[in-house]
Each structure stands twice: as structure tokens, then as C-alpha cells.
Amino acid sequence: MFGAKAVKVCCGPRCGSHPGHRAIYDALERAVQEADPDLPVAPTMCRSHCGDGVTVVAPGGALHKARDPEEARALAQKLTKTTE
């Protein structure tokens, strides 16, 4: 649906149950949209890289982790710089 040019956030059973998942997702989405309104942020199912935070898949497929909203915002800055 979103193709390769999207930031995908795991919402599978392990990442989705992370205590801060909603706050992480929202922080990442807001930061990405502020930096690049044309870059969608999309929920995705399990990426099989559970543990140590919420899995975030960059455009192009690189895997990242976000453990809290601050880390999600920093990751968004990194991801939007690499997609320009």
C-alpha cells in the first residue's frame, strides 16, 4: 500500500505491547511529518525483530529500534535526512 518509501512501525504482538508503543508511534509520526510531509508513517505487523524497543523499518528496509518518544524523534530526524 505504501511501497518502499514509507516509515513502517511494528504494531505486532510484542512491539505493540511495549508500554510506550502509542507514545513512540505518535512521536515518530509527528516528527516525520514535520520534516517530510510526503513521507508516510504506516503501521505494520511483526517484523520478527522483537525486543529492546519498538521496531521501525526505514524506507529501503533498514531496521531500527525506538525505546521511548525522544529516541523516536531522533530516529525520525535521521530517517528524513536519508530520504531527501
Side-chain angles (χ1 to χ4, degrees), residues 4-73:
K5 191 172 187 224
V7 175
K8 298 174 184 112
V9 181
C10 182
C11 294
R14 300 248 347 246
C15 287
S17 67
H18 183 284
H21 184 273
R22 185 81 242 173
I24 291 167
Y25 188 101
D26 290 345
L28 182 71
E29 184 175 46
R30 275 192 300 273
V32 167
Q33 292 304 298
E34 286 173 9
D36 185 352
D38 295 324
L39 182 61
V41 175
T44 183
M45 290 309 296
C46 185
R47 309 310 283 186
S48 298
H49 291 278
C50 305
D52 198 31
V54 175
T55 302
V56 178
V57 184
L63 295 173
H64 301 275
K65 291 290 185 169
R67 290 178 284 279
D68 57 48
E70 183 177 319
E71 204 169 87
R73 286 186 287 273

